[in-house]
Amino acid sequence: MSGTAAHEAVLRGVVDQWKSAVDAHEPERVAALFTEDAVFQGLHPYSVGRPGVAAYYGSQPIGLTAEYRVLETRSLADDVLFGYLDVDFGFTDRPAIHVTLGLVLKRVSDRWYIAHYQVTKLD
């Protein structure tokens, strides 16, 4: 794979796991995809670490789904990737919310984790 294709494959591998856990409403599984010291910024005040990620996704309504499209990927260092995505969060009882999502992925041993997660709602 070329550098860009390889970076996007890594990003999709992590984001597909995130999507699966979000869609299944499994907040602990979502949190396990993050580093122990991840900075997490959803649409509420930020948190640091897996407990904050789990609490955030645990507070989301049953039936929440995430559909994403990769916009950009960049290698920041050998074991660090940046991803920028369009994400639509769907709900069972109200219109979807469209956001952009910036992620920093970090490789720890042979596995990639989310080290930084920042959502922006551009309305």
Side-chain angles (χ1 to χ4, degrees):
M1 283 185 168
S2 71
T4 302
H7 299 155
E8 186 168 331
V10 168
L11 178 66
R12 285 184 182 280
V14 173
V15 177
D16 285 349
Q17 292 176 68
W18 167 82
K19 176 193 171 5
S20 173
V22 168
D23 290 357
H25 194 75
E26 296 178 347
E28 293 297 330
R29 189 162 61 108
V30 175
L33 298 168
F34 287 75
T35 61
E36 294 285 345
D37 62 348
V39 175
F40 178 86
Q41 176 67 64
L43 293 176
H44 301 292
Y46 87 98
S47 64
V48 176
R50 290 178 179 161
V53 175
Y56 181 87
Y57 281 105
S59 73
Q60 297 304 310
I62 301 292
L64 176 73
T65 59
E67 297 298 328
Y68 76 90
R69 182 171 63 96
V70 175
L71 300 173
E72 299 287 338
T73 60
R74 300 279 188 280
S75 176
L76 303 178
D78 286 343
D79 294 327
V80 182
L81 291 176
F82 170 76
Y84 190 62
L85 304 99
D86 264 335
V87 180
D88 289 312
F89 286 106
F91 301 89
T92 59
D93 61 346
R94 62 182 185 254
I97 295 174
H98 178 78
V99 300
T100 54
L101 172 60
L103 297 173
V104 175
L105 303 182
K106 180 179 177 183
R107 183 172 29 209
V108 178
S109 299
D110 289 335
R111 188 157 174 223
W112 289 90
Y113 293 91
I114 301 167
H116 179 82
Y117 176 109
Q118 173 110 28
V119 164
T120 303
K121 190 170 181 232
L122 300 172
D123 289 328

